[in-house]
Amino acid sequence: MSTPFTDVAAEHALFNTKSRQKIQQTEFMTSAPTFRLCPPDVGLEVAFAGRSNAGKSSAINALTNQRQLARSSKTPGRTQMINFFSIGDTNRRLVDLPGYGYAAVPLEMKKEWQVELEEYLVSRSSLAGLVLMTDIRHPLKFFDEQMLHWAKDGDLPVHILLTKADKLKYGASKNALLNTRKRLKKLGLHCTIQLFSALRKEGLDELAGVMGNWYDYQLNDEKLIESDLSESDDTDNSDNEQAGVAQETGEQKDID
């Protein structure tokens, strides 16, 4: 016999699964070299960010069940593009931000992209949430923390993935999760956090559930319902319609 608790848990699990199935419909949309050349600021976006070696591309590919949707640059940190992917329609988007923290990148380029990333996180009104990836073996480096503070400044919810959890034994990974939570609390940062392994495909449904809430999905009679975002299409966004945005080309720029 089911109880209210088991019913809620089952509904939560179903929502996560349905959200993941929806997110698997992701397709490449466009690439933008700067914040000002991003697509119109309407609908809802979820951005993925992380250091160049945090496994961001692997996480996106595992989540969407597509082997080469997100591509890593052969030289980490060299290609700095904001890549946009549509999920079902262009009103819900997954955004792959450039990898950061790679030592070989010239200092001036680092400074330029710090400005671009901060502007995107603080000023992008359609941005509903940030997924921050950090390697479980050495989590929350300096620029990770900087990203979290920028998100806090913009009142942006953040979900942290401790990636490459398969590199540690179960007990060690749980300790890393606990210690990172304690560190976030000391920093005054209120983020949700989970273990994640793209290699073992662990944590995919939990991540999809978080994103599903940000995308304003709803579960109705075991079907996933999308709220209507079409009203926002009339938003004046002329600054983001400048020439130079490679929209609908079908060719994605390599990123980290």
Side-chain angles (χ1 to χ4, degrees):
M1 179 178 178
S2 64
T3 66
F5 176 79
T6 57
D7 288 343
V8 170
E11 183 174 339
H12 180 72
L14 180 61
F15 176 82
N16 291 356
T17 300
K18 292 292 185 180
S19 295
R20 180 181 173 191
Q21 291 172 351
K22 184 66 178 180
I23 293 170
Q24 288 177 351
Q25 299 176 19
T26 299
E27 296 180 350
F28 174 69
M29 181 179 169
T30 188
S31 294
T34 66
F35 173 75
R36 288 180 60 83
L37 293 177
C38 289
D41 194 3
V42 296
L44 294 170
E45 292 178 353
V46 174
F48 279 61
R51 293 175 61 84
S52 296
N53 57 356
K56 179 161 55 67
S57 296
S58 297
I60 293 174
N61 291 337
L63 176 66
T64 59
N65 197 31
Q66 300 183 49
R67 294 182 62 183
Q68 294 186 331
L69 182 69
R71 304 172 188 170
S72 297
S73 172
K74 293 180 180 178
T75 306
R78 287 294 185 182
T79 306
Q80 303 290 295
M81 300 287 283
I82 305 174
N83 284 343
F84 291 82
F85 303 86
S86 61
I87 302 177
D89 61 64
T90 57
N91 279 323
R92 287 177 173 82
R93 298 175 297 276
L94 186 157
V95 183
D96 194 354
L97 297 175
Y100 52 79
Y102 192 68
V105 175
L107 181 60
E108 286 304 313
M109 182 181 290
K110 287 183 180 180
K111 290 181 178 179
E112 289 176 8
W113 269 97
Q114 285 180 15
V115 173
E116 292 288 340
L117 288 174
E118 181 179 10
E119 186 174 8
Y120 176 81
L121 292 178
V122 174
S123 304
R124 187 77 169 169
S125 61
S126 58
L127 185 57
L130 173 69
V131 178
L132 182 74
M133 272 140 288
T134 183
D135 192 319
I136 192 171
R137 296 167 296 182
H138 33 79
L140 298 188
K141 295 293 187 178
F142 171 79
F143 205 74
D144 294 326
E145 293 184 10
Q146 184 65 69
M147 293 283 285
L148 293 175
H149 284 293
W150 286 338
K152 183 180 180 180
D153 291 341
D155 293 322
L156 182 68
V158 179
H159 185 65
I160 297 175
L161 301 185
L162 292 180
T163 61
K164 306 183 183 181
D166 52 277
K167 300 293 185 180
L168 298 181
K169 293 183 178 180
Y170 179 79
S173 63
K174 287 294 186 180
N175 284 336
L177 178 64
L178 178 62
N179 290 335
T180 307
R181 280 183 174 144
K182 290 179 179 178
R183 185 172 174 186
L184 289 168
K185 186 175 181 179
K186 286 183 179 180
L187 293 171
L189 298 169
H190 304 286
C191 312
T192 54
I193 185 172
Q194 68 168 97
L195 299 174
F196 187 87
S197 171
L199 179 64
R200 295 179 179 173
K201 300 189 182 302
E202 294 175 352
L204 296 176
D205 278 3
E206 182 178 352
L207 170 59
V210 172
M211 295 174 64
N213 284 313
W214 287 342
Y215 285 132
D216 203 18
Y217 293 151
Q218 297 176 16
L219 199 61
N220 186 9
D221 292 333
E222 299 189 359
K223 293 182 180 180
L224 200 67
I225 307 298
E226 300 180 16
S227 60
D228 186 6
L229 303 177
S230 59
E231 293 181 0
S232 61
D233 289 345
D234 296 331
T235 302
D236 181 15
N237 205 41
S238 57
D239 287 345
N240 289 320
E241 295 177 353
Q242 301 178 34
V245 181
Q247 294 205 22
E248 304 297 339
T249 63
E251 294 184 2
Q252 175 195 349
K253 300 297 183 181
D254 287 347
I255 53 178
D256 301 319

